[in-house]
Amino acid sequence: MTGALHILIGVARAQWRRLMLWGFAFMVLSQVAMLAALILRFQALPNYQTFYNWPGNVARIIRSTPALSDMPGIIAEEWLVEIGRMNYDYGTGISEWSLNVIPSRLVVMFVLGILVGLCAALMRVERCSLPVRGSARAVTGLGAGLIAMTNATMSWVVCCATPSWVVGLAMMGLGVSSSLALETLGPWLNFGGFGLLLALALCLAWRSSRRATILAEPAHA
């Protein structure tokens, strides 16, 4: 295990710039993909955007929340930007659908990008056989899919207009009641996705360190 950790640290140090690019790419493209999905699903362009004073709101939460244990959960749900479609047929208007850009979710997507990039780098270092590479890619895709799905921040008036990952399920055709019933599984699926990616990275690093040890044995004979 020590050898695997050394491999992980070495790859991260050698390719940290590329890993940062992976992180930023996932962070930006995830928001673009969700907005595109909303536009395609509802066949309408957004007609409003709202920018929130996220730093000021966070400062207000810190000042006004008595329990320190409550602060992280509240801050994690604070919005930075809202982009959506407003229906003005009902007085001042009602938001039919929207994309909510939430800084805490951006951080999650950034970390996801780094992990995916790390797994890709380890696959290159390991020079896996085609079956192993295919399995590794499948695990990477599954883990990334679980994390991306459970960190979606789309809202739809049919789903109580609350940004949640299950809105994506409802948009794809799953019943609204069934989608909302699955909402509590989100954290478990999210942790499961991260667990898969971390386990894959450790496994690839272990294979690489084991191969290096085997190749080095004749030199000590």
Side-chain angles (χ1 to χ4, degrees):
M1 184 59 70
T2 302
L5 291 176
H6 286 162
I7 294 291
L8 282 175
I9 294 171
V11 171
R13 283 179 175 175
Q15 303 196 29
W16 68 270
R17 290 184 180 86
R18 180 175 292 180
L19 294 180
M20 292 296 105
L21 287 176
W22 275 91
F24 281 113
F26 266 69
M27 187 172 66
V28 173
L29 292 178
S30 63
Q31 308 305 304
V32 173
M34 284 189 288
L35 183 58
L38 287 165
I39 293 172
L40 291 174
R41 170 62 176 81
F42 297 105
Q43 296 294 299
L45 293 173
N47 61 0
Y48 81 94
Q49 59 279 326
T50 304
F51 297 89
Y52 297 93
N53 181 14
W54 186 81
N57 292 338
V58 170
R60 189 177 301 110
I61 290 169
I62 293 173
R63 289 195 305 268
S64 59
T65 305
L68 291 175
S69 59
D70 293 336
M71 289 182 188
I74 300 173
I75 292 173
E77 297 302 321
E78 278 298 308
W79 300 359
L80 178 64
V81 183
E82 180 183 5
I83 304 172
R85 181 78 181 180
M86 190 75 72
N87 186 333
Y88 292 101
D89 293 339
Y90 306 95
T92 57
I94 182 172
S95 177
E96 293 183 339
W97 56 263
S98 66
L99 167 67
N100 308 101
V101 180
I102 302 176
S104 64
R105 306 299 173 84
L106 293 178
V107 172
V108 172
M109 298 310 296
F110 181 78
V111 174
L112 170 59
I114 290 176
L115 282 175
V116 171
L118 182 60
C119 290
L122 288 168
M123 278 187 269
R124 289 194 300 271
V125 170
E126 172 60 17
R127 296 177 183 175
C128 305
S129 62
L130 286 178
V132 173
R133 188 182 293 270
S135 299
R137 286 175 176 171
V139 172
T140 302
L142 177 60
L146 288 174
I147 297 168
M149 178 181 68
T150 53
N151 283 279
T153 52
M154 299 175 289
S155 65
W156 184 17
V157 67
V158 174
C159 296
C160 305
T162 302
S164 170
W165 70 275
V166 297
V167 171
L169 300 180
M171 286 170 51
M172 289 188 292
L174 186 64
V176 173
S177 299
S178 301
S179 299
L180 293 175
L182 295 173
E183 189 169 10
T184 55
L185 295 177
W188 296 103
L189 295 175
N190 187 46
F191 292 143
F194 275 112
L196 283 174
L197 291 178
L198 289 172
L200 176 62
L202 285 172
C203 180
L204 291 171
W206 175 79
R207 284 173 57 91
S208 183
S209 65
R210 183 170 175 269
R211 183 166 61 87
T213 301
I214 293 173
L215 292 175
E217 283 179 355
H220 298 288

